[in-house]
């Protein structure tokens, strides 16, 4: 009874079941569920990090689209046959500055130190089991955009630039579509992980957490049993003492 009381008090103090009140197998299963829930929480941190990364890629691609749109406006303006060479030189100067801006963005755009506009993709672990999702980088190199030769100082160059920029804008649009699909997949996985983690924690807690009402009842019963045992022992000791006294 004293052992039972001590075990029950320990469970009440910790709020956790022990082998005293449940089977070791159930405790192991419950703890495994809780461990998987914690790992799923970490996986969701990966998902959130990847979402931030993809949002950053998309923001840079949007900026690239804006720059390409401005370049197309300048190309259409330069294609005007009524302009002089001096007019086109001024237009081309602005265009070349914008091209340098694209080059610099291509070289420097990064997320957490990783280049994100130079093509390729990254794998992200998104579940406790290690399942991964591939997320796409952007690619705005001149070669990818088809803008290796870009010169608005002549009408012929302007005409060629208009067609090239239409293709470049479509290329970036396709990249944004891929990144958008990544974001939707990550968002779905984040929600699924939240539900999975909550279910694991609930099921695991049922197997490992103490039912305080039941524990209190057990404590009361153990306390009564302990008191009865003490009383019986005391009474037995008293009778034994009386018997010994009667012998003399």
């Amino acid at each position: 009874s004293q052992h039972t009381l001590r075990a029950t008090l320990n469970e009440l103090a910790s709020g956790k079941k022990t082998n005293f009140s449940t089977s070791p197998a159930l405790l192991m299963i419950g703890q495994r569920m809780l461990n998987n829930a914690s790992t799923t929480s970490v996986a969701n941190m990966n998902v959130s990090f990847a979402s931030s990364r993809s949002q950053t890629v998309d923001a840079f691609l949007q900026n690239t689209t804006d720059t390409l749109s401005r370049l197309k406006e300048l190309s259409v303006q330069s294609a005007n046959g009524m302009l002089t060479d001096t007019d086109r030189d001024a237009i081309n100067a602005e265009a070349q500055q914008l091209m340098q801006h694209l080059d610099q963005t291509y070289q420097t755009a990064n997320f957490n130190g990783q280049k994100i506009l130079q093509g390729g993709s990254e794998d992200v672990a998104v579940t406790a089991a290690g399942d991964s999702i591939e997320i796409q980088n952007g690619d705005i190199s001149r070669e990818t955009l088809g803008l290796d030769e870009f010169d608005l100082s002549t009408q012929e160059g302007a005409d060629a630039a208009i067609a090239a920029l239409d293709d470049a804008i479509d290329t970036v649009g396709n990249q944004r579509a891929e990144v958008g699909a990544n974001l939707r997949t990550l968002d779905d996985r984040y929600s699924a992980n939240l539900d999975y983690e909550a279910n694991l924690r609930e099921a695991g807690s049922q197997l490992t957490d103490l039912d305080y009402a039941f524990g209190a009842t057990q404590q009361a019963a153990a306390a009564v049993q302990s008191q009865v045992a003490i009383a019986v022992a005391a009474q037995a000791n008293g009778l034994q003492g009386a018997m010994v006294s009667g012998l003399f």
Side-chain angles (χ1 to χ4, degrees):
S1 297
Q2 287 291 336
H3 173 70
T4 300
L5 181 59
R6 283 196 299 272
T8 303
L9 288 173
N10 286 336
E11 287 189 345
L12 286 170
S14 67
K16 298 292 184 181
K17 294 178 182 177
T18 65
N19 293 340
F20 171 75
S21 61
T22 191
S23 74
L26 289 178
L27 283 178
M28 181 182 68
I29 292 171
Q31 190 58 55
R32 184 168 63 243
M33 288 180 174
L34 293 177
N35 289 342
N36 283 339
S38 296
T39 306
T40 300
S41 178
V42 173
N44 241 11
M45 291 175 62
N46 291 350
V47 174
S48 180
F49 195 72
S51 293
S52 296
R53 188 183 196 278
S54 291
Q55 289 169 5
T56 303
V57 172
D58 186 64
F60 274 114
L61 291 177
Q62 175 61 63
N63 179 264
T64 299
T65 299
D66 294 341
T67 301
L68 293 174
S69 296
R70 177 55 183 162
L71 284 169
K72 186 177 179 182
E73 291 174 358
L74 293 173
S75 299
V76 172
Q77 185 178 356
S78 181
N80 184 351
M82 294 181 291
L83 296 182
T84 65
D85 290 343
T86 301
D87 295 331
R88 289 195 180 90
D89 285 341
I91 293 172
N92 189 53
E94 180 183 348
Q96 295 307 321
Q97 287 181 353
L98 291 174
M99 290 299 297
Q100 290 175 8
H101 168 70
L102 286 178
D103 290 340
Q104 183 180 24
T105 302
Y106 167 77
Q107 292 291 342
T108 63
N110 74 89
F111 183 86
N112 196 38
Q114 292 183 331
K115 303 300 183 182
I116 56 176
L117 293 182
Q118 297 182 6
S121 61
E122 305 294 338
D123 289 331
V124 182
V126 295
T127 70
D131 298 322
S132 64
I133 291 176
E134 183 182 24
I135 59 174
Q136 300 297 320
N137 293 322
D139 187 349
I140 62 168
S141 66
R142 290 200 183 201
E143 180 181 0
T144 298
L145 297 180
L147 301 176
D148 291 322
E149 302 293 334
F150 191 87
D151 183 8
L152 302 185
S153 63
T154 66
Q155 186 171 355
E156 293 77 12
D159 289 336
I162 291 173
L165 285 165
D166 283 337
D167 291 340
I169 290 171
D170 287 342
T171 296
V172 175
N174 290 333
Q175 292 181 23
R176 292 195 68 194
E178 290 182 350
V179 173
N182 290 159
L183 284 168
R184 287 189 294 274
T185 300
L186 290 168
D187 186 59
D188 290 343
R189 172 48 55 188
Y190 189 86
S191 297
N193 279 352
L194 284 180
D195 291 339
Y196 183 58
E197 179 187 353
N199 291 335
L200 283 175
R201 290 195 185 281
E202 180 179 3
S205 295
Q206 289 177 354
L207 294 176
T208 61
D209 291 353
L210 181 67
D211 181 337
Y212 275 96
F214 176 77
T217 301
Q218 289 290 94
Q219 180 198 11
V224 170
Q225 291 176 356
S226 178
Q227 291 172 358
V228 170
I230 293 173
V232 169
Q235 185 176 12
N237 289 336
L239 289 174
Q240 184 178 12
M243 291 175 63
V244 172
S245 297
L247 294 176
F248 296 97

